Amino acid sequence: MSSYNADERTGAILEMSRIEKFSEIFSELESCNKDAQKQKIQETNEIIDEMDEDEIRSTFTTELFDKMGKMIKEKKLSMENAIVLLKHVGYYKVLLNLWNSAFHSSLLRRRFEKMIIEEDQKKKKEKNEKLLADLCECYTMLHNYYISREELLSICVPCLLKVAVKKEEDEVTQKEVEMALLALTCLREGIV
């Protein structure tokens, strides 16, 4: 029985150290340039790979998503790097079938909704299709609830389908297709 308690304590220490390590690296993002951020996000993604469901729930709180949104707004975190991190989080959220309302309650969700709509409304020549697809993927994978805004559905579904039908065979494109298909699976019936 005492070995069980020792194992349990060791597990708790490991869990805390992953969460603390993630938090430490995440807090360093604000003071890094874009390339250093990219490296730190790779490190955070490696930590996420090792996390279990409880650790992910404990780490990705409304406060963390709000902080990320603030960092993006203040240009302390590049959108490109934020998307890499958020796609990774969304992937694990879907993979582990996690229900977590943190993103739904965050200001970052509202920011993404606004960005998706604004990007979609740009003229064809000005529209960044890659950014729009990335935003839609992050939004749908991190969102728990039915997407009740018809306007967002009418943007995200065609955008994700467009990415999903790419037939190129290079590894990067294949990963984009897989992420788009995964994001589409996050849309639930009865959403309209």
Side-chain angles (χ1 to χ4, degrees):
M1 186 140 153
S2 64
S3 72
Y4 175 76
N5 288 337
D7 289 344
E8 190 174 297
R9 272 184 260 131
T10 302
I13 291 168
L14 287 174
E15 177 180 323
M16 289 302 290
S17 64
R18 279 191 289 255
I19 293 170
E20 289 173 353
K21 184 70 174 167
F22 177 90
S23 296
E24 179 183 314
I25 295 170
F26 184 82
S27 67
E28 295 170 1
L29 289 173
E30 287 184 273
S31 58
C32 297
N33 65 32
K34 190 175 178 178
D35 292 332
Q37 279 183 358
K38 189 176 271 189
Q39 176 59 38
K40 294 216 177 276
I41 287 175
Q42 180 61 37
E43 292 174 35
T44 61
N45 286 349
E46 289 170 7
I47 294 169
I48 293 168
D49 291 344
E50 298 172 7
M51 288 182 169
D52 63 26
E53 294 175 28
D54 292 332
E55 291 170 319
I56 290 175
R57 277 192 190 96
S58 297
T59 303
F60 293 95
T61 62
T62 301
E63 292 78 22
L64 183 84
F65 287 124
D66 285 345
K67 183 175 182 176
M68 194 178 299
K70 184 178 178 187
M71 290 167 65
I72 293 167
K73 182 178 181 181
E74 295 173 352
K75 302 203 185 299
K76 293 181 179 179
L77 176 63
S78 74
M79 181 55 73
E80 178 184 321
N81 286 332
I83 285 171
V84 170
L85 176 58
L86 291 170
K87 277 187 176 185
H88 202 73
V89 174
Y91 173 79
Y92 274 95
K93 181 186 167 292
V94 174
L95 183 70
L96 298 172
N97 197 23
L98 296 177
W99 184 266
N100 182 342
S101 63
F103 180 74
H104 180 76
S105 304
S106 74
L107 297 173
L108 184 60
R109 174 190 57 91
R110 290 185 208 107
R111 180 174 188 76
F112 268 44
E113 289 174 349
K114 183 180 177 194
M115 290 174 70
I116 289 168
I117 292 167
E118 286 174 355
E119 193 62 39
D120 184 64
Q121 290 174 346
K122 288 181 180 177
K123 293 178 182 173
K124 193 85 167 161
K125 292 179 184 176
E126 298 171 5
K127 191 183 294 190
N128 183 338
E129 296 288 342
K130 171 84 170 108
L131 174 62
L132 182 59
D134 287 340
L135 291 169
C136 289
E137 286 173 11
C138 291
Y139 180 76
T140 57
M141 287 192 296
L142 292 169
H143 205 281
N144 275 338
Y145 303 99
Y146 297 124
I147 299 173
S148 57
R149 289 185 63 183
E150 205 170 303
E151 183 178 21
L152 286 167
L153 281 173
S154 68
I155 297 169
C156 289
V157 171
C159 179
L160 294 171
L161 286 171
K162 185 176 180 180
V163 174
V165 298
K166 288 184 178 175
K167 303 244 188 243
E168 298 171 32
E169 298 204 12
D170 65 84
E171 189 175 325
V172 172
T173 304
Q174 193 58 36
K175 184 71 174 170
E176 289 174 3
V177 169
E178 289 170 11
M179 291 300 282
L181 289 170
L182 185 62
L184 282 167
T185 66
C186 296
L187 297 171
R188 292 170 176 70
E189 288 183 43
I191 44 185
V192 240

